[in-house]
Amino acid sequence: MNRYIKPDKWNIIEEGFSAENVPSSESIFSIGNGRMGQRANFEEQYSGNTLQGNYIAGVYYPDKTKVGWWKNGYPEYFAKVLNAANWIGINVQVNGEELDLAKIKVADFQRVLNMHEGYLSRSFQATMNNGNEIRVDTRRFLSIVDDNIGAIRYTLIADNFTGTITLTPYLDADVVNEDSNYDEKFWEAISQESAGNNALVLARTKKTGFVVATGMVFELWKNGKLLSVNPINTVKEKYAACEVTIDIAEGDELVIYKFATNVSSFNHPEKELAAVAKSELAKAQNKHFNQLLHEQKDAWAAKWEESDITIDGDVAAQQAIRFNIFQLNQTYTGEDERLNIGPKGFTGEKYGGSTYWDTEAYCLPFYLATADKHVARNLLLYRYKQLGKAIENATKLGFNHGSALFPMVTMNGEECHNEWEITFEEIHRNGAIAFAVYNYVNYTGDEDYLKDFGLELLIGISRFWSQRITWSDRLNKFVMLGVTGPNEYENNVDNNWYTNKLACWCLDYTREVIDRVKTANPNKYLALSAKIGFNENEETKRWNEITQNMHFPESKELGVFLQQDNYLNKEQILVKDLDPKHRPINQKWSWDRILRSCFIKQADTLQGIYLFEDKFDIDTIERNFDFYESRTLHESSLSPCVHSILAAKLNKMEKAYELYLRTSRLDLDDYNCEVGEGLHITSMAGTWMSVVHGFGGFRVFNGKIHLNPRTPKDWDSFSFKIRFRGSVLKINAFKERVEVQNFSDIQVPLIIFGKEYLIDSNDKILINN
């Protein structure tokens, strides 16, 4: 853990320069707009430890798989979002000496991420080795209004000297990915140009052939007046720069405005990229910094109006939830169905920036409740449009007849994860994607999605389960062998309870959807059956046999579902009895020792309890929670939120709050000492779930909202907004009462503390606890 972020309701604040914290801060203070993202690297040169990072949505490289022992079915590559051209660079020389915070004295350093208005600022005083003192103040943002544009205002004030300052704004596409498997550079030069105050670099990715045009234009102002300058223009392969030297006197202020753009062949024809880039730069320069920033503030105000959560009485909790929401909103906007949400978003390279099952299990609920319906729908369409690849993936593993196995990791629908126990065995991901269909339709009432897209996907997944599940003569039950559940501290186990439960639910749900589509639109159903060769009687007969005769491991003595067969054969040591010096065990223990232990990385059985909680009585939920929470290390970012939600349901509020803080401040306080690799973006959606689903008790059953708010003792109150089927509700939860306000023109039925209410349009109700 590394706590250096100052508490504040709306800002992330770092005070004092620490070279050790630079990589962590580069992640924490990242900015983005859904189209691209930028780590909080310094504009000026920095020779210390740093991970330079600028990432463009949709642009990736298939890095050749690196394994010691090849197995049939292995993916040939691991897809990676690429570190693209550095557009923020502004080299600074003061009387011939380079401004480099790793080599000079730094005072009054402050960095602030203004989450309310959507910009990053930084200020410091530097004492150069030549004795010159200079103050620097910077502000930059990626526009969420004009999402191809980034803007920088970089201000320098000469405190004690007269002489020259040389500024070199530049573009550099000669970049590397720190996670390259073979130390390969992934970009090839196309062209580079620099003329006057402008520069443009075009580069192409190897293999995938994406082309990105990165352009810049700059202005230089001295003491409030625009300067007419004659830069020295420099170009070399993948690099273009403009160098300007300015005479400066003590007290003078020099401001450089740098406007930049990144446009890619993902969105534009390659031959038009240069023209599009120049047009974007002209627009940015015409609006200029202040107007762009004003529009940014207004756009972020609208986002916060939709998705803010307020917490009164606990600044650390308030700062944390807003940080999580801010990062989610600047990572994914939902306007492009080709895009998804990588575990690190645009903040680092780990996990390749690819899509995991995190999206369906954790992110979808956030976007369902805080954004227009099409945003969540586009997340589902992303998977539907990769259904053909999912069928190919299953075929490679020996399945047939249209079986679909969605990938654990992907950019384009192909599996690109290269650890066998994950690629071949962590198949619960299929169930998460099926459950997302249910979750979306249950929430929105969008039955059209089922007939147009959802049913076809569900049948493909159900066909996979039907073939993956086999009959055991010994047990006289159906079984699922050789799997890995969400708890990745277990591999190649038989009958993971969660996976079995999810598979059977999926088979039943698919049969239900068949009946719904067949009744509502028989012609559509017949056309789909013909398209995919679906024999309803034969196939659903086996599905029914499976669900009626599936083996679910359990301990009747303990009254709990067992994570998998033989789980109780392990030595049962509780987390509280594990010496802290052994944690995290994934860094301290051998994999052999981990696999033999009873310790759990993240919610597994409890993941199933959470998804299907309406199927279990409260005593069953509590027995399972107590059993598994005591054995769970939460060494996955995705774990604490599920446990927090269940703890709140069980009124174990101290535990729920403890786990909420862990998930919400995971990156801000760097619990796992790894935030320098990037933020845990997808688990941030779990933080939102901890508040809304956990403390808010928000659920949707049978088309109706259910609320059971509970306020942690450290909070005076909390509030959140939800969109639901055309309505917008704000829930204010206090210790003694709950207030629900309807901001829409329709009546909304809902159930609060088990009692049904009807809120009139633009009205509110007050209920005492």
Side-chain angles (χ1 to χ4, degrees), residues 29-264:
F29 290 84
S30 293
I31 56 174
N33 63 8
R35 187 66 64 189
M36 54 184 164
Q38 174 67 53
R39 283 173 62 84
N41 310 115
F42 300 150
E43 289 88 356
E44 70 276 358
Q45 182 180 7
Y46 183 69
S47 59
N49 184 23
T50 180
L51 173 59
Q52 182 70 42
N54 170 43
Y55 308 101
I56 313 297
V59 176
Y60 69 95
Y61 176 83
D63 202 8
K64 185 180 178 182
T65 298
K66 192 172 187 178
V67 293
W69 179 22
W70 192 269
K71 299 175 180 64
N72 277 341
Y74 256 172
E76 296 182 0
Y77 66 88
F78 190 91
K80 295 173 178 176
V81 168
L82 294 187
N83 186 8
N86 177 5
W87 63 271
I88 66 170
I90 304 173
N91 287 341
V92 180
Q93 289 186 333
V94 179
N95 283 329
E97 182 182 345
E98 194 76 38
L99 178 62
D100 181 345
L101 271 60
K103 297 180 178 179
I104 59 175
K105 181 181 177 182
V106 182
D108 299 327
F109 181 93
Q110 185 182 65
R111 179 161 25 193
V112 178
L113 181 63
N114 186 316
M115 300 182 290
H116 190 254
E117 299 180 351
Y119 66 83
L120 171 65
S121 64
R122 180 172 58 106
S123 60
F124 59 90
Q125 184 182 54
T127 302
M128 312 295 289
N129 294 315
N130 59 19
N132 297 160
E133 294 179 0
I134 190 167
R135 276 179 287 150
V136 176
D137 187 274
T138 75
R139 184 171 293 190
R140 76 172 183 244
F141 59 93
L142 287 170
S143 173
I144 61 173
V145 176
D146 299 301
D147 61 8
N148 290 323
I149 292 173
I152 301 171
R153 185 181 70 201
Y154 194 98
T155 303
L156 306 103
I157 299 175
D159 276 349
N160 71 342
F161 67 92
T162 296
T164 61
I165 292 180
T166 300
L167 298 172
T168 308
Y170 65 88
L171 306 172
D172 185 7
D174 191 24
V175 293
V176 297
N177 263 55
E178 192 177 72
D179 65 347
S180 171
N181 283 343
Y182 298 93
D183 297 322
E184 180 183 8
K185 289 187 176 181
F186 300 144
W187 293 95
E188 297 175 329
I190 296 177
S191 65
Q192 45 277 321
E193 60 185 74
S194 178
N197 293 25
N198 297 266
L200 183 68
V201 172
L202 273 77
R204 186 191 314 276
T205 61
K206 297 177 181 178
K207 295 184 182 179
T208 46
F210 291 108
V211 177
V212 174
T214 303
M216 74 169 192
V217 60
F218 77 94
E219 292 178 0
L220 203 53
W221 295 64
K222 182 179 176 182
N223 298 329
K225 294 182 178 180
L226 177 64
L227 299 181
S228 177
V229 296
N230 186 23
I232 298 172
N233 299 111
T234 304
V235 296
K236 58 183 179 181
E237 187 175 83
K238 294 187 275 190
Y239 179 90
C242 308
E243 179 184 307
V244 182
T245 299
I246 303 296
D247 292 328
I248 201 90
E250 184 176 335
D252 281 349
E253 178 188 78
L254 198 58
V255 179
I256 180 170
Y257 291 100
K258 182 177 181 181
F259 304 101
T261 188
N262 289 292
V263 292
S264 76

